[in-house]
Amino acid sequence: MELKAKLMSLNKASVTMQELRRLTGLNTDERLFPVVNEAVTSGLLKPFRNVTTNGNRLYPIYEKYHIVREKKDDTALLTAILKLHPLMQRNDYLKNHPTAFQEHQDTLEALSSWLFQNHSNPIAVSRKERSFEIFGAEKVLDDSSFKTLLNNMKINADTLCFYDTPAYCFHDYIPKLSNKMCLLICENKDIWFNLRKMLYEYRRNELWKTSLDGVIYGEGNRICEEGALTEYTRFLGVKNVQYLYWGDIDREGINIAIRLFQNNPDLEIVPFRAAYLQMLKRAKDCHIVFSDDTRERMEDYASFMASFETDEQTILYEKIQQNLHIPQEIISFAVLLDEMR
């Protein structure tokens, strides 16, 4: 029994005489022969054809043996698999891999029950919502091994009618979706909140002759993380979106805009020119402080400046060169009440 356990633990189909010596600890032919002979008699080992022995006439041991493994009776598993919903059997993966079914049997049977109960098209919900509905636990459909199994069975999000929520869920306010939209991204929370209030409470959506369909809080640097806005746009599902970006006039604020452009090359994103010009206009009558940005080197601002006239670029470059800070908050809610239509 000890030798059988050791042989079954080997991840191979054969074993040599030398390996048998190591497994048993029997270093002489005389001691090893009866153990190997018993294994051959019981059907555990089978000598290779055309393989020589050790040359010992009294205790002949072959140089190599097949390890004969017991065939599992999968009848019960196959019977259980045949009871599953037809969608789970369409490519016969489970029939060909009954041990995979055995490993996830309770979960797969729960899925089958759900499929039988939801034969018509259910309402699409999120991955975690569907997981809880089917299995009573919200993270089952996130499990990597179970996801691999479903993929092998050709069961996907469309089959189970769920969607993945985007990793980047920005705070937004969009009163109504349409095929063509202009959405304004704000670097800071106060101006986002004020614009949101103007849209839903005052029903005003035109600011400095620009019609806005919604407003998004960019959360500072978070908006410019690579692909974040692209993923948000995909989830939004709008065919034609133009983004306007509006942030502080300082090195960091403009750097955020530039990174936003660079990390989402397939999207149409430009600075909200009218807003920046209004900030510069109002800054003439205000005490403007220096930025706390200590970097010596200025970035390449060409992609940001391209939206402005030459004289406007000169003024912006001057403010940045001086390392000044003009915050979005210079456009207060009182200003919006006067300017927004």
Side-chain angles (χ1 to χ4, degrees):
M1 291 299 294
E2 183 180 353
L3 176 59
K4 180 177 180 179
K6 290 180 178 180
L7 289 172
M8 292 302 106
S9 68
L10 297 176
N11 188 24
K12 54 193 301 185
S14 62
V15 63
T16 65
M17 179 174 62
Q18 295 303 321
E19 288 172 327
L20 286 169
R21 292 188 190 281
R22 289 195 296 271
L23 286 172
T24 60
L26 304 175
N27 295 321
T28 66
D29 292 346
E30 183 179 359
R31 296 177 63 196
L32 180 61
F33 173 75
V35 175
V36 174
N37 192 51
E38 181 184 350
V40 171
T41 303
S42 66
L44 178 61
L45 293 177
K46 182 180 178 181
F48 267 71
R49 291 183 179 180
N50 302 322
V51 172
T52 59
T53 67
N54 57 356
N56 191 323
R57 292 184 178 182
L58 289 177
Y59 309 109
I61 303 171
Y62 283 86
E63 294 287 344
K64 196 172 185 180
Y65 292 86
H66 293 285
I67 300 173
V68 182
R69 299 182 184 274
E70 296 177 0
K71 291 185 178 180
K72 292 183 179 179
D73 184 1
D74 294 327
T75 303
L77 292 177
L78 292 172
T79 300
I81 290 170
L82 290 172
K83 294 179 181 179
L84 297 176
H85 192 278
L87 286 174
M88 301 172 68
Q89 302 186 54
R90 54 187 169 182
N91 68 346
D92 289 338
Y93 180 82
L94 292 178
K95 289 181 184 178
N96 296 326
H97 300 83
T99 54
F101 169 77
Q102 186 176 32
E103 182 181 353
H104 297 277
Q105 184 168 355
D106 291 343
T107 308
L108 289 170
E109 287 179 344
L111 174 58
S112 179
S113 295
W114 183 85
L115 287 170
F116 276 120
Q117 294 166 12
N118 293 271
H119 49 83
S120 59
N121 292 330
I123 296 173
V125 297
S126 73
R127 178 189 290 269
K128 283 184 170 57
E129 290 168 340
R130 184 66 78 216
S131 180
F132 185 81
E133 179 185 352
I134 298 173
F135 310 108
E138 73 276 14
K139 296 183 180 180
V140 174
L141 290 173
D142 289 321
D143 179 76
S144 59
S145 63
F146 190 62
K147 285 167 68 175
T148 299
L149 177 59
L150 290 179
N151 184 60
N152 289 334
M153 295 164 57
K154 306 302 181 186
I155 300 289
N156 54 31
D158 290 336
T159 310
L160 304 183
C161 202
F162 69 78
Y163 53 81
D164 286 307
T165 53
Y168 301 92
C169 294
F170 298 108
H171 298 286
D172 59 15
Y173 179 70
I174 303 172
K176 182 180 178 181
L177 290 178
S178 60
N179 288 331
K180 185 175 182 181
M181 303 185 72
C182 178
L183 301 179
L184 174 60
I185 303 169
C186 297
E187 176 184 345
N188 299 299
K189 183 174 67 175
D190 284 16
I191 190 67
W192 168 80
F193 183 84
N194 290 340
L195 284 165
R196 177 178 175 272
K197 188 174 182 179
M198 294 297 296
L199 286 169
Y200 86 84
E201 187 174 327
Y202 289 81
R203 298 292 190 270
R204 301 182 188 180
N205 73 324
E206 185 178 304
L207 182 59
W208 299 307
K209 299 182 180 180
T210 300
S211 181
L212 305 174
D213 295 299
V215 60
I216 300 168
Y217 173 34
E219 301 181 62
N221 279 288
R222 190 164 183 259
I223 193 71
C224 62
E225 293 179 26
E226 187 169 0
L229 189 61
T230 297
E231 182 178 348
Y232 168 86
T233 306
R234 178 188 59 78
F235 185 75
L236 195 63
V238 174
K239 294 181 179 179
N240 190 341
V241 183
Q242 180 195 36
Y243 289 104
L244 301 176
Y245 184 79
W246 181 13
D248 296 338
I249 296 179
D250 60 11
R251 293 180 182 178
E252 180 57 21
I254 296 178
N255 286 343
I256 290 173
I258 291 170
R259 291 197 299 275
L260 178 63
F261 305 158
Q262 292 174 342
N263 289 336
N264 299 275
D266 295 330
L267 300 181
E268 183 183 355
I269 317 170
V270 295
F272 188 14
R273 175 174 170 267
Y276 285 104
L277 295 182
Q278 285 292 325
M279 291 170 70
L280 291 173
K281 178 181 177 181
R282 293 179 184 278
K284 293 178 182 179
D285 300 322
C286 299
H287 174 67
I288 303 302
V289 299
F290 288 99
S291 168
D292 58 5
D293 193 312
T294 59
R295 287 171 291 186
E296 296 290 336
R297 184 175 65 86
M298 288 178 60
E299 303 290 339
D300 180 3
Y301 299 118
S303 60
F304 180 85
M305 294 296 179
S307 296
F308 297 88
E309 301 293 337
T310 302
D311 57 331
E312 297 165 354
Q313 293 182 24
T314 301
I315 298 171
L316 283 167
Y317 271 121
E318 181 182 290
K319 302 300 182 187
I320 299 167
Q321 186 69 51
Q322 294 171 356
N323 203 17
L324 295 177
H325 172 66
I326 304 174
Q328 269 192 292
E329 289 79 4
I330 199 171
I331 307 296
S332 67
F333 183 68
V335 174
L336 291 178
L337 278 174
D338 284 341
E339 298 287 345
M340 205 161 180
R341 303 287 182 265

